[in-house]
Amino acid sequence: MEVLSSATSTYPRFTLYNPKKPFSSTFKPIIISQVHPWKYFPGRNVEARLLCRISYKRTNLDESGRCSSSDAHSKPEFWFRTLCGLNKSFPSQSGFFALRHGHPLWSWKTSVHQKVESRPQKIRQHISVVFVRLVVAMLLVSSASVALGSTPSWALSEENLLFLEAWRTIDRAYIDKTFNGQSWFRYREDALRNEPMNNREETYTAIRKMLATLNDPFTRFLEPEKFKSLRSGTQGSLTGVGLSIGYPPGSEGSRAGLVVISAAPGGPANQAGISSGDIILEIDNTSTESMGIYDAAERLQGPEGSAVELTIQTGPEIKHLALTRAKVSLNPVKSRLCEIPGSEKNYLKIGYIKLASFNQNASTAVKEAIDTLRSNSVNAFVLDLRDNSGGLFPEGIETAKIWLDKGVIVYICDSRGVRDIYDTDGSSAVAPSEPLAVLVNKGTASASEILAGALKDNKRAVLFGEPTYGKGKIQSVFQLSDGSGLAVTVARYETPAHNDIDKVGVIPDHPLPNSFPKDDDGFCGCLQDSASACYVNNVKLFSK
């Protein structure tokens, strides 16, 4: 048997030749490329790719091997005996022509590359494909069970369930979805297998250990009493010395202690002369050099009337102070009307508003202060955010809406970029047009920085003072089923001008004199007495 082809012909002829009874069957396919030499085609298939459909008339053979036109059943032995050596392949662009020993098979397609296989080989291939698919399906099912299962296969105790509740809270809410470069699912499984959780204290220890792997000092565990104390602090009162503390700026490595962000007016620390910028070196003779801010806050709080000893550094001076804890009222707002001599265009009446913190009453108290001052026909406002260490994020947003007629307040971002936008359409505005100055210092932090940044970037206010603290992270508090809780870093924020203020702060437009007072009485005096060292011209105070 041989294959004859003409490379130069537009329609090469394929001839099938029987050595016993010479005959030929000829067809004219359009071949895309020259037929390859015989030696290049291993395999058992005879295939020719076609650009058109093939018209084929079956020819039957009689007992003598001669051709007949009968439609009776043909004897494939003779036909395919002559084709045994013709099991070769001819590739093309659009389909296949195939003849198979033992079974006449034809297959053609206009666009799909399809190859006709021998039946045993096809069965083996089909079984192989089914087997592979079965194995892959089993692997996928087992992988999904491990990755997505909410609990391990063994029975879980009540303590395990509390740990899992904390784990899921971090999994859903934490800002860094790499979880400080670790497999969060694997940590869960390892902790449930290896960490002792036989009682509540051991479970709390396991939760603290889990949070420590995040290397985030602002994400921490709160036992039931501490969680209750934190909530009471945002609701108007707290028993302690009245200090808001933080880490010194730029303290990535070693640090001397903890910095005072602000001292609550009238609180024990404020009365003892402690102010923002002071460094707490020791609390009850325990160094704060490696102490976390929340550990320090717990040490500063305590029963009303109890004592606490502090070692404070103010500039080069070191002081040892004994303070008595008291219930510190966190009334967030104080206001005052300052009347300035001069012409009407120099804003004779200025409304001064001191906003000390953002508890749940903050925005309502600011509105009330504005209404009271307006009843006295004020011409402009001064909003004092110095030593305001923040508080409730929603209250910071609501306070910004009071002063803005429209615009972005803050962008909330996570590891993938901007996640949410807080803005206002002016529907909540109370004082969107009067001249406004905002006072800030290094004790201005967190929610108060959001407010200051929004007012500056929207060109609603002029900022005076010094760069703010630079806390650009947002924490949310989550309560667990046993009354404990988690404070979790859920996002970072950017000002409307897309400034990331973390560890940088909001930069004011103008400085204030070093001697500029922080109380309302002193503020009015500095505007009224042009001979005083703290004097600020009231016209310049509102010049943008």
Side-chain angles (χ1 to χ4, degrees):
M1 186 76 180
E2 54 186 333
V3 176
L4 305 176
S5 67
S6 173
T8 60
S9 172
T10 306
Y11 299 98
R13 304 174 66 85
F14 284 80
T15 301
L16 307 180
Y17 176 74
N18 179 8
K20 294 182 178 181
K21 300 288 182 178
F23 78 99
S24 65
S25 176
T26 303
F27 48 89
K28 298 179 180 181
I30 298 176
I31 306 300
I32 291 179
S33 60
Q34 180 178 350
V35 177
H36 293 274
W38 180 267
K39 63 181 178 180
Y40 287 106
F41 300 101
R44 300 177 56 195
N45 302 327
V46 177
E47 299 171 357
R49 300 191 178 202
L50 309 174
L51 287 175
C52 59
R53 297 176 64 88
I54 297 175
S55 177
Y56 172 71
K57 178 175 177 61
R58 187 177 64 189
T59 300
N60 299 323
L61 301 176
D62 59 19
E63 293 288 343
S64 64
R66 292 189 295 270
C67 295
S68 70
S69 60
S70 170
D71 287 334
H73 178 67
S74 64
K75 294 185 177 182
E77 292 81 10
F78 178 83
W79 178 262
F80 289 100
R81 191 177 304 121
T82 63
L83 293 175
C84 289
L86 203 58
N87 288 332
K88 302 297 177 181
S89 302
F90 299 90
S92 75
Q93 284 297 103
S94 60
F96 283 90
F97 168 70
L99 294 176
R100 179 70 55 202
H101 173 64
H103 297 277
L105 298 175
W106 288 78
S107 174
W108 57 84
K109 286 180 178 277
T110 57
S111 60
V112 180
H113 184 87
Q114 181 177 351
K115 188 171 184 178
V116 181
E117 305 275 344
S118 66
R119 179 165 298 182
Q121 183 178 354
K122 190 172 184 179
I123 292 174
R124 287 195 300 271
Q125 182 182 12
H126 179 71
I127 294 174
S128 299
V129 170
V130 171
F131 177 75
V132 170
R133 288 178 177 175
L134 181 61
V135 171
V136 171
M138 292 175 65
L139 289 174
L140 288 174
V141 169
S142 29
S143 298
S145 299
V146 171
L148 300 178
S150 59
T151 60
S153 58
W154 59 85
L156 296 173
S157 66
E158 182 180 350
E159 301 304 323
N160 293 149
L161 292 174
L162 180 61
F163 176 85
L164 281 174
E165 186 181 358
W167 180 90
R168 290 190 192 100
T169 301
I170 299 297
D171 182 56
R172 290 193 306 265
Y174 191 57
I175 179 177
D176 177 14
K177 294 308 177 184
T178 71
F179 302 97
N180 198 28
Q182 64 181 320
S183 170
W184 199 236
F185 286 92
R186 179 175 295 175
Y187 185 91
R188 177 194 67 181
E189 300 301 312
D190 291 345
L192 288 172
R193 286 188 178 95
N194 303 322
E195 293 295 330
M197 300 181 203
N198 300 310
N199 53 56
R200 192 53 46 92
E201 190 54 45
E202 287 184 347
T203 304
Y204 288 169
T205 300
I207 293 174
R208 291 191 197 94
K209 186 175 179 180
M210 175 181 68
L211 299 181
T213 66
L214 300 174
N215 195 29
D216 177 3
F218 298 105
T219 297
R220 79 274 187 195
F221 175 70
L222 301 166
E223 282 127 340
E225 285 302 316
K226 295 173 184 175
F227 181 76
K228 182 179 178 181
S229 177
L230 176 66
R231 295 189 66 178
S232 69
T234 63
Q235 291 172 355
S237 65
L238 191 65
T239 301
V241 296
L243 284 177
S244 176
I245 58 177
Y247 299 107
S251 59
E252 300 299 330
S254 61
R255 53 182 169 84
L258 298 172
V259 66
V260 175
I261 297 177
S262 63
N270 177 257
Q271 293 177 359
I274 299 175
S275 61
S276 61
D278 289 351
I279 302 296
I280 304 174
L281 301 177
E282 293 181 352
I283 302 175
D284 283 334
N285 298 318
T286 301
S287 172
T288 62
E289 185 174 348
S290 59
M291 187 180 296
I293 57 174
Y294 299 104
D295 183 15
E298 292 166 11
R299 294 171 183 267
L300 292 173
Q301 297 173 21
E304 186 174 2
S306 60
V308 59
E309 294 183 359
L310 302 180
T311 301
I312 303 293
Q313 180 178 348
T314 304
E317 181 185 2
I318 295 179
K319 300 179 289 187
H320 299 279
L321 303 173
L323 305 181
T324 301
R325 297 182 178 95
K327 189 172 184 178
V328 180
S329 176
L330 300 178
N331 182 14
V333 171
K334 288 184 178 180
S335 63
R336 171 161 183 166
L337 175 65
C338 296
E339 295 185 320
I340 311 298
S343 62
E344 182 178 353
K345 66 179 182 179
N346 284 345
Y347 311 113
L348 290 175
K349 295 182 178 180
I350 296 175
Y352 173 84
I353 300 174
K354 173 71 174 179
L355 180 56
S357 66
F358 288 95
N359 61 23
Q360 64 181 10
N361 305 316
S363 60
T364 300
V366 170
K367 291 178 184 178
E368 292 173 353
I370 291 173
D371 291 339
T372 300
L373 292 169
R374 272 185 171 164
S375 66
N376 291 299
S377 303
V378 297
N379 306 104
F381 291 100
V382 172
L383 179 63
D384 192 348
L385 298 177
R386 291 175 296 171
D387 295 332
N388 182 330
S389 59
L392 298 176
F393 173 80
E395 286 298 307
I397 299 298
E398 291 304 313
T399 304
K401 291 180 179 180
I402 293 173
W403 304 98
L404 294 171
D405 58 353
K406 63 179 180 178
V408 173
I409 298 171
V410 67
Y411 293 105
I412 306 301
C413 309
D414 57 19
S415 56
R416 294 181 293 272
V418 175
R419 187 184 76 190
D420 203 356
I421 301 174
Y422 286 84
D423 57 7
T424 181
D425 59 4
S427 59
S428 300
V430 176
S433 57
E434 290 95 338
L436 176 64
V438 177
L439 311 183
V440 296
N441 68 354
K442 55 191 173 185
T444 304
S446 194
S448 58
E449 290 177 289
I450 291 177
L451 174 57
L455 296 178
K456 178 186 178 183
D457 287 356
N458 282 287
K459 303 187 184 305
R460 175 65 185 90
V462 183
L463 265 62
F464 284 83
E466 57 188 347
T468 61
Y469 181 74
K471 183 178 180 293
K473 298 289 196 324
I474 299 173
Q475 285 76 38
S476 290
V477 179
F478 300 88
Q479 184 172 5
L480 301 180
S481 57
D482 73 331
S484 61
L486 297 173
V488 182
T489 300
V490 296
R492 62 180 177 86
Y493 65 82
E494 294 177 356
T495 68
H498 286 289
N499 294 318
D500 183 354
I501 68 156
D502 195 44
K503 302 176 183 177
V504 177
V506 178
I507 309 301
D509 300 302
H510 307 287
L512 279 175
N514 293 333
S515 58
F516 201 85
K518 294 182 179 179
D519 60 291
D520 50 348
D521 290 330
F523 169 80
C524 290
C526 288
L527 296 184
Q528 293 167 345
D529 186 2
S530 59
S532 68
C534 66
Y535 176 72
V536 175
N537 184 283
N538 65 85
V539 175
K540 292 182 178 179
L541 190 63
F542 303 103
S543 298
K544 296 184 180 179

